[in-house]
Amino acid sequence: MAKKALITGITGQDGSYLAELLLGQGYEVHGIIRRASTFNTGRLDPIYDDPHSGRNRLSLHYGDLSDASALARLIGKIQPEEVYNLAAQSHVRVSFDSPEYSTDIGATGTVRLLEAIRETGIQPRFYQASSSEMFGKVQEVPQRETTPFYPRSPYACAKVYGYWITVNYRESYGLFACNGILFNHESPRRGETFVTRKITRAVAQIKAGLQDKLFMGNLDAKRDWGFAKEYVEAMWLMLQQPGPDDYVVATGETHSVREFLEVAFSHVGLDWQKHVEIDPRYLRPAEVELLIGDPTKARQKLGWEAKTKFEELTKLMVDADIELLRQHRQGEIRVKG
């Protein structure tokens, strides 16, 4: 019998990569998706497009972390051996505009899911997507599993609650529950409003002569950027260990937004300073200036380390957006023809 896994947030960047990984390991994968009037499963297309992907073992179910009874029903019906909670309103800047919604899904939604698991009594292994944003105004450099949290956004505050309620259920009810404290992880599947993808899409558009300016916020913010496809392997590895624990997942390097701009634009022979302008609308009310993770524990206990480093990741994303734009324009030509 194939192992069964349930993924919340399966339509996101991490969820789609994790689904591919688990199907490749022979799992039966179930995903929770929100009902919408338009299709929101585009990131899962590689699974459906590849006949060898195990797509017949992928099932999607309507549900939402705001609906406790639906969660309990689904978990009781599916009876998963592993549950990965990746669902969130995950955009930090947007969380200042929608703090209540961001908290309801990120914090209370985690409790609803843990309670649904507890009430069914099936004892699956549980993964909670925690975030480097919890460190916020950093109390230690680099940040490790023992570094105190100092969240600087509603998103980060919700993630701190999600982290501690996961620890609480582990200690109170003996649940195999892990927190993955993932530092920034990017890919061609990253949402288009996130800073890295915003930059790489703009580079493709500017190179093609379709736009001239890119409006940005804080260029001095430093982040530890890795490749999302590799980071989901760490999630899976956490749930394969003899006991539950919490892990920082990071590259151990930090780079500024300005450096990302330099690498991305120079990759296609452009000078970023001729195209980038600062727009105060993109500044956060409270900024996180520096994040850099210490992945020693993940390397020692999980045997995991980041392979794709900063420059390679940036160029990979630029190339993907150039190719995506080329395909889009070819499609437009075919439609017009």
Side-chain angles (χ1 to χ4, degrees), residues 57-308:
R57 287 182 276 109
L58 174 63
S59 302
L60 302 179
H61 310 265
Y62 286 122
D64 197 298
L65 286 190
S66 63
D67 187 345
S69 59
L71 290 173
R73 220 169 24 247
L74 272 174
I75 288 167
K77 176 184 167 187
I78 296 164
Q79 304 247 324
E81 281 99 336
E82 295 174 7
V83 175
Y84 297 85
N85 183 29
L86 311 185
Q89 188 299 102
S90 59
H91 197 287
V92 175
R93 180 64 191 84
V94 171
S95 77
F96 285 100
D97 300 323
S98 302
E100 188 177 338
Y101 175 71
S102 300
T103 304
D104 185 49
I105 301 304
T108 316
T110 305
V111 182
R112 292 187 189 108
L113 188 55
L114 285 165
E115 266 299 281
I117 289 168
R118 188 177 73 85
E119 287 176 3
T120 60
I122 61 172
Q123 291 286 309
R125 296 188 169 201
F126 178 80
Y127 172 86
Q128 169 63 12
S130 290
S131 168
S132 60
E133 287 285 331
M134 300 188 304
F135 295 120
K137 190 174 181 180
V138 299
Q139 304 299 292
E140 180 180 32
V141 178
Q143 295 87 55
R144 48 183 65 90
E145 291 81 6
T146 53
T147 303
F149 300 137
Y150 194 138
R152 299 267 283 171
S153 67
Y155 166 80
C157 291
K159 283 295 186 182
V160 169
Y161 181 89
Y163 173 93
W164 282 117
I165 200 69
T166 298
V167 171
N168 183 255
Y169 271 65
R170 179 169 74 211
E171 295 177 351
S172 300
Y173 304 115
L175 185 66
F176 191 113
C178 300
N179 281 291
I181 308 172
L182 271 59
F183 280 64
N184 292 63
H185 45 291
E186 318 297 317
S187 77
R189 298 184 194 174
R190 189 59 142 149
E192 294 170 359
T193 58
F194 288 85
V195 67
T196 51
R197 187 75 197 291
K198 178 180 171 180
I199 292 169
T200 60
R201 282 187 79 239
V203 168
Q205 296 270 346
I206 291 168
K207 183 65 176 175
L210 299 175
Q211 77 180 67
D212 184 51
K213 294 294 182 185
L214 169 62
F215 295 94
M216 298 287 295
N218 180 10
L219 304 188
D220 296 317
K222 290 186 172 182
R223 294 292 183 269
D224 184 327
W225 277 303
F227 186 24
K229 188 174 183 178
E230 296 170 359
Y231 280 41
V232 300
E233 294 173 19
M235 298 177 188
W236 176 73
L237 285 167
M238 288 177 210
L239 300 197
Q240 313 314 308
Q241 301 308 303
D245 209 342
D246 308 315
Y247 300 86
V248 162
V249 179
T251 68
E253 295 181 8
T254 190
H255 297 273
S256 68
V257 175
R258 183 177 278 102
E259 286 178 78
F260 198 100
L261 285 164
E262 287 170 354
V263 174
F265 275 86
S266 65
H267 183 50
V268 296
L270 294 173
D271 179 357
W272 71 272
Q273 294 181 73
K274 293 179 179 176
H275 300 281
V276 174
E277 291 187 11
I278 303 302
D279 187 334
R281 289 180 302 169
Y282 296 117
L283 298 172
R284 300 178 186 179
E287 183 57 81
V288 174
E289 297 295 347
L290 167 69
L291 292 174
I292 177 170
D294 179 357
T296 302
K297 184 176 175 181
R299 185 171 62 248
Q300 291 177 347
K301 292 200 169 185
L302 305 178
W304 180 91
E305 60 183 320
K307 302 178 187 71
T308 306

